Amino acid sequence: MREQRFEALVRAVGEPLHRYLVRRTDPAAVDDVLAETMLVLWRRIDDVPHLDDVLPWCYGVARGCLANARRAERRRLRLVDRLARTPAVSEPAEHVELYDALRTLGELDREVVMLWAWEGLAPQAIAEATGLTPNAVSIRLHRAKKKLAVQLERKNGATAGQERVMRGSEL
């Protein structure tokens, strides 16, 4: 019974979680973090919500596993070489100004925007994935979109930045 439920869960969330992680860490770490996420899902199979509501919950688990992996990597790098740093997100060359604008946001605001724009989550689902309240997510999203619009406006002209952020299509 547990195995069948887990297999159904993996079929439902495996690909979206993989995409989520590809957008947030270097390619070498994606499979390890995904495996760790699946291990947590297996261990907590009795806590996993119904398949219709499971993806935001799983994003929260993946987010925690990614944070753990990043902390472990930082510790390792400090031991090897205090000056070495690895990029947290792969950035396509065609969206340099967008990534520059995203870097102006705090880590949590950037995560809220990325969950909204890239993963297509509503504030309620983002709240579940991040541990914030839906109201806090809505406020953070509104403020972050305004800040991104201002940043992109400076680089691309007055209306281009606002249209790009409000659509969310290029994030």
Side-chain angles (χ1 to χ4, degrees), residues 45-65:
I45 194 73
D46 295 331
D47 298 330
V48 176
H50 187 270
L51 281 180
D52 296 340
D53 303 317
V54 74
L55 195 53
W57 189 86
C58 290
Y59 282 139
V61 171
R63 189 171 179 266
C65 290

Side-chain angles (χ1 to χ4, degrees), residues 29-84:
V30 170
D31 289 339
D32 290 339
V33 176
L34 183 59
E36 184 65 28
T37 302
M38 292 303 173
L39 180 60
V40 171
L41 295 179
W42 169 252
R43 288 179 181 158
R44 296 184 59 197
I45 194 73
D46 295 331
D47 298 330
V48 176
H50 187 270
L51 281 180
D52 296 340
D53 303 317
V54 74
L55 195 53
W57 189 86
C58 290
Y59 282 139
V61 171
R63 189 171 179 266
C65 290
L66 183 57
N68 289 341
R70 285 181 176 157
R71 278 190 296 276
E73 180 65 7
R74 283 193 301 267
R75 285 190 303 268
R76 187 188 71 77
L77 288 174
R78 279 193 305 266
L79 290 171
V80 174
D81 181 5
R82 292 197 178 272
L83 301 175

Side-chain angles (χ1 to χ4, degrees), residues 97 101 146-165 167:
E97 64 276 342
K146 283 175 65 175
K147 187 172 182 179
L148 285 173
V150 168
Q151 293 297 320
L152 292 171
E153 205 172 281
R154 288 182 185 153
K155 295 189 182 263
N156 300 319
T159 59
Q162 287 179 333
E163 290 173 8
R164 187 178 297 166
V165 171
R167 281 195 325 260

Side-chain angles (χ1 to χ4, degrees), residues 19-25 87-106 110 113-114 117-119 148 151-152 155-156 164-165 169-171:
R19 285 191 312 264
Y20 173 86
L21 293 168
V22 163
R23 292 179 176 144
R24 283 162 177 80
T25 192
V89 178
S90 301
E91 299 177 12
E94 66 268 12
H95 299 295
V96 172
E97 64 276 342
L98 179 58
Y99 283 98
D100 287 344
L102 280 169
R103 272 192 290 281
T104 66
L105 300 176
R110 187 171 43 249
V113 169
M114 290 166 53
W118 283 341
E119 310 308 333
L148 285 173
Q151 293 297 320
L152 292 171
K155 295 189 182 263
N156 300 319
R164 187 178 297 166
V165 171
S169 61
E170 293 190 36
L171 292 178

